[in-house]
Amino acid sequence: MRILVIGTGGVGGYFGGRLAVAGNDVTFIARGAHKAAMEKDGLKVKSINGDIHVKPVKVTDKISEAGTPDLVIIAVKAWQVKEIARQLAPVIHEKTMVLPLQNGVLASDELKSFLPENNVLSGLCRIISKIDGPGIINHFAVEPTIVFGECDSSQTQRVADLQAVFEKAAIQSVVSKDIQADLWRKFLAICVSGLLGVTRATYGEVREQPETRQMMRNLFEEIAQLAKALKINLEPELVDKTMAFIDSFPYESTSSLTRDVWEGKPSELEYQNGTVVKLADKAGVDVPVNRFVYYSLLLMEKKARQAERD
């Protein structure tokens, strides 16, 4: 399968690397020192599931030079999806599958604003990984999993075929029977990233301090109530399950949003706690903890984006 991976970070580097080692024709989009290192030494993936090394590796910094793919995995930050969609429009063919793995619940709808609906799938992934240095990806926690499907959750042959491609690459995958519910399950969990950013604490520190642990639970409960108001089918025990899931993370681990906030970089704040606040305002649901997190980080986010423009 001809695969284009847009964004060779912790997500795209890991999953794209596995797909390349399995014999697929994978092209990576990367830039700067990361691209240069990949061209020289290949893509190295360090993983608790076993290291891999893709060399030689096909890498470019221009989507227009990547050929016509059968599958596009979009692994950039959520705020970059719209611009990526514009660049993809002239490249894909009528059967190309475009699979977004962004945090949040808006990516597929944003893609459909620029691409034919038939090309767009919905998806999410579970993995804790990061770029360790140019050309090097480090997967250090959580069993890497892709949950995906048609946007309307219909069970089609193409998603079954794609699951077979993932399985051949030793990538755990699930064809969703309710992709909106699955997106919201992850969305609920990741929105604690902003709380880590505000408290400047790791998952372990936030969960062991009684006061911040209660804030975390309240944050989750607010999102569960919002999902209920929006008629998303989430199980009643989801908050308890999510708390237990967070308790399984390595003590010193953090999320990409948290690290971006700490480092003064643009983050996915608008697509996480910001989205909670905006959807809650429309639905008439009270979300005070998410609102506190969002408002507390908003000025830092604006400064980070201004610095990037300057």
Side-chain angles (χ1 to χ4, degrees):
M1 178 175 277
R2 291 170 297 174
I3 301 173
L4 175 60
V5 177
I6 303 178
T8 313
V11 171
Y14 178 85
F15 290 116
R18 292 285 180 198
L19 288 162
V21 167
N24 294 285
D25 181 2
V26 181
T27 298
F28 295 88
I29 300 294
R31 294 180 174 81
H34 200 39
K35 173 177 177 286
M38 290 171 65
E39 289 172 330
K40 180 181 177 182
D41 299 318
L43 175 65
K44 300 175 183 178
V45 178
K46 300 188 294 185
S47 171
I48 58 176
N49 287 350
D51 298 348
I52 61 174
H53 187 189
V54 184
K55 186 178 181 181
V57 63
K58 296 175 69 173
V59 57
T60 179
D61 57 5
K62 295 182 177 64
I63 292 175
S64 60
E65 296 178 353
T68 303
D70 303 310
L71 170 68
V72 181
I73 294 177
I74 302 182
V76 296
K77 299 292 188 180
W79 74 83
Q80 298 170 308
V81 168
K82 290 181 182 179
E83 179 55 36
I84 292 299
R86 292 187 185 96
Q87 296 177 50
L88 268 180
V91 172
I92 61 175
H93 58 73
E94 63 178 12
K95 292 186 178 180
T96 298
M97 294 176 286
V98 181
L99 177 60
L101 296 179
Q102 277 62 45
N103 291 323
V105 292
L106 304 178
S108 291
D109 287 340
E110 290 186 340
L111 287 171
K112 290 177 188 177
S113 297
F114 302 92
L115 304 176
E117 288 193 12
N118 183 62
N119 289 115
V120 181
L121 300 177
S122 285
L124 61 97
C125 67
R126 301 188 186 102
I127 187 173
I128 297 182
S129 55
K130 63 179 180 177
I131 296 177
D132 246 10
I136 303 172
I137 305 301
N138 184 8
H139 158 234
F140 54 93
V142 179
E143 178 62 33
T145 305
I146 293 177
V147 180
F148 72 104
E150 301 288 354
C151 295
D152 64 359
S153 300
S154 58
Q155 303 297 297
T156 61
Q157 187 59 49
R158 69 174 180 173
V159 297
D161 292 342
L162 182 52
Q163 184 179 36
V165 171
F166 290 147
E167 288 178 350
K168 185 179 177 182
I171 295 171
Q172 182 169 294
S173 65
V174 177
V175 176
S176 177
K177 295 180 180 178
D178 187 341
I179 193 63
Q180 288 304 313
D182 283 326
L183 287 170
W184 273 81
R185 288 186 187 99
K186 182 181 179 183
F187 182 54
L188 183 146
I190 63 172
C191 283
V192 75
S193 301
L195 180 61
L196 270 62
V198 170
T199 57
R200 304 195 68 82
T202 67
Y203 282 114
E205 290 167 336
V206 163
R207 71 193 182 215
E208 77 175 1
Q209 181 72 23
E211 293 84 356
T212 50
R213 186 177 183 87
Q214 186 61 53
M215 288 184 73
M216 179 166 63
R217 173 174 280 279
N218 292 348
L219 181 147
F220 292 154
E221 288 175 344
E222 290 173 6
I223 300 172
Q225 287 300 312
L226 173 60
K228 184 177 180 180
L230 297 176
K231 303 195 183 312
I232 307 295
N233 297 316
L234 300 182
E235 58 273 30
E237 66 274 15
L238 180 59
V239 170
D240 288 336
K241 290 169 65 175
T242 304
M243 292 291 288
F245 182 54
I246 298 295
D247 285 341
S248 73
F249 290 3
Y251 187 90
E252 294 295 334
S253 62
T254 56
S255 74
S256 59
L257 181 148
T258 304
R259 294 189 293 272
D260 286 341
V261 168
W262 292 356
E263 294 166 14
K265 298 177 181 178
S267 76
E268 292 182 332
L269 178 67
E270 292 291 344
Y271 285 84
Q272 294 188 30
N273 307 95
T275 296
V276 173
V277 169
K278 288 162 188 167
L279 291 177
D281 285 345
K282 291 180 181 179
V285 176
D286 193 22
V287 289
V289 177
N290 281 277
R291 192 177 300 277
F292 166 76
V293 169
Y294 177 52
Y295 287 0
S296 295
L297 296 176
L298 194 54
L299 286 176
M300 283 183 276
E301 182 69 21
K302 289 185 175 180
K303 290 176 182 177
R305 292 191 177 278
Q306 185 60 50
E308 189 177 64
R309 286 191 292 270
D310 294 343

